[in-house]
Amino acid sequence: MSLEILAVDDSRTMRDMIRLALEPVGFTVHTADDGVHGTEVLADLNPDVIITDINMPRLDGFGFIDAVRNGSDHKTTPILVLTTEAAPEMKMRARSAGATGWIVKPFDPTKLVKALQMVAG
Amino acid sequence: MTASDPMAEIRASFFVECEELLEALQDGLHALETGTDDGDAIHVIFRAVHSIKGGAGAFGLDHMVTFSHRYETVLDAVRDARLAVTTDLLGLFFRAADHLSDIVRAAREDEDFPVATSAALLSELDAHAADPQPADQPQEPDFAPVALSLDLLNDPETKNETALNRYQIYFTPEPELFETANDVPHIFAALAELGDLTVKCDTNRVPTLNQLAPEAVYLSWALSLDTIVDEAEVASIFEFVDGLCELQILPGPTTSVADEADTSAEPGKSNASSAPLSEPEASAPPRDTKNKTFVRVDIERVERLVNLVGELVINQAMLSQSMQSAGLSPHSDAMNGLEEFQRLTRDIQDSVMMIRAQPVKSLFQRMSRIVREASASVSKDVRLITDGETTEVDKTVIERLADPLTHMIRNAVDHGIEPAHARVENGKPAQGAIHLRASHRSGRVIIDVSDDGGGIDRARVFQTAKDKELVSADANLSDADIDNLLFLPGFSTASSVSDLSGRGVGMDVVRTAIHALGGRITISSEPGQGTLFSISLPLTLAVLDGMVVDVAGETLVLPLSVVSETLTLTKANVEALGPGRSVVRNRGAFLPLLDLGSVLGYRTISDSFVDRIALVLTLEDEVSIALVVDEIQDQRQVVIKGLDDSFYRAPGIAAATILGDGQIALILDPADIVAHANAGGAISSTYHVQEARA
């Protein structure tokens, strides 16, 4: 199944890793550098799944999820949070913002693909 | 692009990103220190360390992960205002940043880490952490680095046929499950991948249509899964919806599995539609045009471009020369075209050089670390003030400046700045200051290193030079001459050699390094007020504006920047002082005349300079001399071709170039020529310059 993904992360390394994990399995990967950029990109994009980092300049992951969920176009687009923190509070916070799920960094590419396929159906 | 290992490429780009993050980290800390923080600094600092941790984890760089994680913990406390920034804490942050950059460098170079420093810093950091980790506990409970393997082709679950487990799963979603864009069929599909799944939907609670609330959930499911995986893995499918549903997973076989299995479970009245159709041909997301975009390029490609432009410059010179010798009118179309060609060549060359240009900021940041370390090791309070950080210089120049600058900064801390009590006695602030400035001046870059210390103790310098028999006991030297003694090899005024540096020790090395870059270093000092070292460097190491001259049948190139005027020598303006020693009167001053041909050993010195041509050279240290040449050919750009070490390192020769007619000409180092001529005929007629026939 080929999915269209938007990955929002301020780390170029992390964006490259996501690309490297997903493009070989046939996914289309778009990237954005932070939450603000992510919302700009979303204006012209309809991804199957959004992946977002939490710690980012200008607009962080929570703010970005909030913006996506409060907008009209992507209320039901699955959003996976990619985070270094696996603490339950973080998961709760991500979920209450509207995140669909989370992946702990450093991610295992196979698991990332599976998680994406699972939330996208 | 030869590299085909994507992980190696990402790893390389991770280290590039680390450099940027470390720079941002230093900037942020600096903003905190100087009070120029606009409130964002701590977030920038935190994110920098956090991003380094994230990338380090992906590459299994455990040491980097551990250190950045615990650094981040303290930063987080500051970010959440649980911890106040004090001078001490800021000092610790700076040291931790320095250490982190060491760790990054060690990882990049595959070297060993200074583990002892790490341990010491970590315990200091932990002491500040709001919730310090007990020493015997694992230190990062919530973050375990896992080396990443991108082994997508091999399914990690090698299907060892073992006993099948059967799980009964009872699942009732709550409305919140759909609000987070989770959906039931996706979960079931994931379960089905684990084994044999049967699904039975319980629709008993579904009301009649007129009572149906669109956002309520009325369905629940009973599932039966035959699989080889364990219960934890089955539960992991429900990880994202944990707490958003009623869920029971019961191991063991059961008889109550419904026969009428329905694997295509109804999605129910989920208000979450399934994922929208993908648009594979969707165009790339539009970039924010206000942001600058950058391209990362392998430095080798740029080097190749620089070389090609060098060839273009040579080629253009060849063309120009052959058109001139063809006797074309200077007003012909061809000549006009050539002029345009020359202009374009220069523009291209400038643009190419700009590609390699980098701000000196990273270099200056390294120096602030040197100041911190050096001042700590001699227990002085010294701050570094930088200026002109955005001044751009060729990357190679920046790299090769690091060592000399480090040496000078250490010198300034160790010997330039007086101890605090001496400063206070002299009415200065106890804290010493070192200024590091970069600026562009007439096509060169000037780097000034100044301290507000005690200045050079000239009496002692002079005495030391006499003791070491570097100058004769009855020498009569000006202040500037005495200051320049510091550059003599092996000179030291330090009465006791400190572990850090001795002012003078190694200054000859500094000067050699600067000369190797085509630069000059000058020194000036005001007793009680401080010392200034000024370095003047060419912007690039590749192309030079040169004056092409003929001497004794040889074609030579002088850097145009040192030539201030040309003179024709006459009986009236030349005064002979003795055999082979003459001066020329110019603008009310007498300049010594040097015959380039004899200085380089091409011929013996002439008796008379009358009717010859002289170039007035003004060197960095305000020395002016007149250099006698036979003929001036041209002013033009020449491409510098370095002479490698297999050639004899001849004094006065800096490099070589290829002229338009394919001939090789040597590029002179005027200051070196003057120095050797002054050294009393060190360049004698028995001395022959080897010609570079590359």
Side-chain angles (χ1 to χ4, degrees):
Chain A
M1 177 177 47
S2 167
L3 296 177
E4 189 158 5
I5 309 291
L6 170 65
V8 187
D9 200 309
D10 62 326
S11 160
R12 190 169 62 223
T13 305
M14 210 46 71
R15 293 195 301 270
D16 286 347
M17 306 273 296
I18 293 170
R19 215 176 258 289
L20 181 61
L22 301 184
E23 286 185 344
V25 294
F27 289 10
T28 310
V29 180
H30 304 273
T31 57
D33 303 347
D34 57 39
V36 172
H37 188 203
T39 49
E40 286 165 3
V41 171
L42 269 182
D44 298 305
L45 195 70
N46 209 357
D48 299 308
V49 188
I50 298 168
I51 302 173
T52 181
D53 186 24
I54 289 298
N55 284 296
M56 293 185 292
R58 300 205 290 171
L59 181 61
D60 70 8
F62 298 124
F64 171 66
I65 297 169
D66 219 33
V68 174
R69 289 288 179 247
N70 288 330
S72 55
D73 292 341
H74 307 282
K75 273 189 195 310
T76 59
T77 307
I79 304 176
L80 289 185
V81 170
L82 191 58
T83 170
T84 49
E85 321 293 344
E89 305 88 75
M90 201 293 309
K91 293 180 183 173
M92 288 315 296
R93 224 187 129 187
R95 173 182 285 167
S96 57
T100 310
W102 48 85
I103 296 178
V104 179
K105 281 188 216 172
F107 61 85
D108 174 66
T110 318
K111 284 190 183 147
L112 177 65
V113 171
K114 281 190 175 165
L116 288 169
Q117 283 170 337
M118 187 172 99
V119 295
Chain B
M1 190 73 62
T2 50
S4 59
D5 178 359
M7 273 305 271
E9 276 177 37
I10 295 183
R11 189 182 155 102
S13 102
F14 164 66
F15 284 116
V16 173
E17 188 174 13
C18 275
E19 293 301 321
E20 292 163 14
L21 292 168
L22 288 168
E23 204 171 287
L25 174 60
Q26 289 284 353
D27 279 350
L29 289 173
H30 198 67
L32 282 187
E33 185 186 33
T34 54
T36 52
D37 177 21
D38 55 1
D40 200 33
I42 186 65
H43 297 283
V44 170
I45 295 167
F46 178 87
R47 272 200 308 273
V49 177
H50 184 79
S51 290
I52 290 174
K53 179 176 94 169
F59 296 103
L61 302 167
D62 300 357
H63 200 83
M64 206 189 291
V65 171
T66 310
F67 190 82
S68 47
H69 178 71
R70 283 155 76 182
Y71 188 4
E72 180 193 273
T73 308
V74 185
L75 291 169
D76 192 37
V78 174
R79 195 172 62 148
D80 292 352
R82 284 178 279 125
L83 190 63
V85 181
T86 61
T87 315
D88 281 352
L89 186 61
L90 200 56
L92 173 62
F93 283 172
F94 268 116
R95 279 180 289 129
D98 292 343
H99 187 64
L100 187 57
S101 82
D102 284 346
I103 294 176
V104 168
R105 197 184 56 239
R108 188 180 55 208
E109 311 290 335
D110 270 330
E111 286 169 4
D112 292 334
F113 301 110
V115 180
T117 320
S118 259
L121 274 170
L122 281 175
S123 59
E124 272 192 77
L125 286 169
D126 290 349
H128 284 90
D131 182 19
Q133 313 283 350
D136 55 346
Q137 291 283 306
Q139 296 289 355
E140 50 280 355
D142 62 341
F143 188 78
V146 178
L148 181 56
S149 74
L150 281 170
D151 216 7
L152 293 169
L153 296 176
N154 302 328
D155 196 321
E157 287 136 52
T158 43
K159 302 276 183 199
N160 283 337
E161 272 312 321
T162 51
L164 282 181
N165 301 316
R166 169 165 294 187
Y167 298 99
Q168 287 302 126
I169 302 161
Y170 300 98
F171 174 64
T172 311
E174 289 167 11
E176 290 77 20
L177 184 141
F178 302 102
E179 284 168 16
T180 56
N182 278 290
D183 209 352
V184 174
H186 303 160
I187 296 171
F188 292 175
L191 278 176
E193 289 195 0
L194 296 180
D196 227 359
L197 183 73
T198 51
V199 179
K200 186 176 190 305
C201 183
D202 177 3
T203 54
N204 289 336
R205 288 191 293 133
V206 179
T208 54
L209 199 58
N210 56 352
Q211 288 175 313
L212 201 70
E215 305 223 332
V217 179
Y218 303 103
L219 298 176
S220 59
W221 285 268
L223 303 99
S224 171
L225 179 67
D226 288 326
T227 176
I228 54 164
V229 306
D230 60 11
E231 187 177 338
E233 191 155 349
V234 175
S236 75
I237 299 289
F238 294 93
E239 188 192 359
F240 294 166
V241 296
D242 182 28
L244 301 178
C245 60
E246 280 175 36
L247 180 70
Q248 269 189 301
I249 302 175
L250 303 173
T254 174
T255 52
S256 66
V257 179
D259 294 329
E260 26 164 348
D262 181 7
T263 40
S264 61
E266 276 181 59
K269 292 157 195 71
S270 130
N271 59 352
S273 68
S274 57
L277 289 174
S278 61
E279 297 163 32
E281 297 307 317
S283 58
R287 299 289 308 186
D288 186 351
T289 45
K290 282 170 286 181
N291 286 347
K292 282 187 181 176
T293 56
F294 295 94
V295 178
R296 274 173 290 154
V297 182
D298 191 337
I299 188 76
E300 278 176 26
R301 294 187 189 187
V302 179
E303 296 296 337
R304 184 172 150 73
L305 189 58
V306 170
N307 278 333
L308 283 174
V309 170
E311 298 296 322
L312 184 66
V313 171
I314 291 170
N315 213 267
Q316 172 230 285
M318 289 171 69
L319 189 59
S320 151
Q321 204 155 337
S322 57
M323 281 170 75
Q324 268 164 11
S325 59
L328 289 175
S329 152
H331 306 295
S332 64
D333 286 350
M335 289 305 256
N336 286 336
L338 180 68
E339 247 172 57
E340 184 67 5
F341 179 41
Q342 281 171 343
R343 196 183 59 75
L344 285 173
T345 310
R346 181 173 275 271
D347 284 354
I348 292 176
Q349 183 210 313
D350 287 349
S351 312
V352 169
M353 293 309 153
M354 250 188 277
I355 297 178
R356 288 210 306 193
Q358 279 189 339
V360 293
K361 187 173 168 185
S362 60
L363 181 66
F364 279 17
Q365 283 193 343
R366 279 168 76 177
M367 294 308 131
S368 69
R369 169 179 188 172
I370 302 293
V371 169
R372 279 197 296 279
E373 290 178 349
S375 55
S377 82
V378 294
S379 306
K380 287 181 187 173
D381 184 10
V382 184
R383 70 194 168 115
L384 180 76
I385 302 150
T386 57
D387 214 357
E389 289 189 324
T390 53
T391 309
E392 292 196 335
V393 193
D394 192 290
K395 186 175 169 19
T396 342
V397 177
I398 289 180
E399 282 165 3
R400 286 164 64 183
L401 259 181
D403 283 349
L405 265 191
T406 303
H407 202 93
M408 292 163 70
I409 295 272
R410 285 195 179 139
N411 263 339
V413 173
D414 199 12
H415 298 287
I417 305 285
E418 322 89 318
H421 62 86
R423 293 180 62 87
V424 174
E425 275 170 26
N426 290 326
K428 294 190 206 174
Q431 187 187 49
I434 296 176
H435 272 88
L436 188 55
R437 280 187 210 88
S439 56
H440 281 146
R441 204 178 300 155
S442 54
R444 290 173 79 82
V445 62
I446 312 291
I447 309 239
D448 287 340
V449 182
S450 61
D451 62 60
D452 67 346
I456 292 171
D457 184 347
R458 295 201 173 101
R460 207 165 113 213
V461 169
F462 195 22
Q463 190 55 49
T464 310
K466 283 195 276 196
D467 292 349
K468 294 185 183 256
E469 295 180 354
L470 296 166
V471 291
S472 62
D474 56 350
N476 184 14
L477 299 182
S478 68
D479 285 353
D481 290 339
I482 293 173
D483 292 347
N484 278 314
L485 293 174
L486 293 177
F487 290 120
L488 291 180
F491 186 92
S492 176
T493 56
S495 43
S496 64
V497 177
S498 83
D499 60 340
L500 196 59
S501 66
R503 172 154 279 186
V505 171
M507 279 311 286
D508 63 317
V509 178
V510 169
R511 186 164 68 166
T512 309
I514 300 296
H515 281 187
L517 286 169
R520 303 276 157 252
I521 178 165
T522 56
I523 183 171
S524 62
S525 180
E526 191 72 35
Q529 302 299 310
T531 308
L532 163 74
F533 286 94
S534 186
I535 301 170
S536 159
L537 294 163
L539 285 178
T540 167
L541 301 177
V543 179
L544 171 93
D545 275 311
M547 181 165 262
V548 184
V549 298
D550 280 346
V551 174
E554 298 287 334
T555 306
L556 299 164
V557 180
L558 279 156
L560 196 59
S561 57
V562 300
V563 181
S564 53
E565 59 185 307
T566 58
L567 297 174
T568 304
L569 304 175
T570 61
K571 269 197 178 116
N573 63 11
V574 173
E575 300 272 350
L577 299 180
R581 283 179 179 269
S582 299
V583 291
V584 59
R585 190 201 313 267
N586 182 40
R587 299 179 193 277
F590 284 103
L591 304 178
L593 275 171
L594 275 185
D595 178 18
L596 185 57
S598 69
V599 165
L600 293 177
Y602 290 139
R603 62 183 171 213
T604 54
I605 194 155
S606 338
D607 293 329
S608 165
F609 292 118
V610 174
D611 292 338
R612 307 270 295 277
I613 299 163
L615 307 175
V616 178
L617 306 186
T618 306
L619 304 173
E620 297 291 335
D621 36 8
E622 306 295 312
V623 176
S624 289
I625 58 132
L627 200 62
V628 181
V629 300
D630 295 351
E631 199 180 328
I632 296 172
Q633 271 194 17
D634 199 1
Q635 285 179 17
R636 76 162 83 109
Q637 286 193 301
V638 296
V639 178
I640 301 172
K641 299 281 181 193
L643 298 173
D644 74 48
D645 294 339
S646 53
F647 294 106
Y648 176 72
R649 169 75 182 92
I653 307 298
T657 188
I658 304 166
L659 298 174
D661 54 6
Q663 195 196 339
I664 289 166
L666 296 173
I667 300 174
L668 303 177
D669 179 344
D672 208 24
I673 287 174
V674 172
H676 277 80
N678 280 348
I683 303 176
S684 70
S685 55
T686 58
Y687 185 81
H688 292 282
V689 176
Q690 291 199 351
E691 283 184 48
R693 300 284 176 205

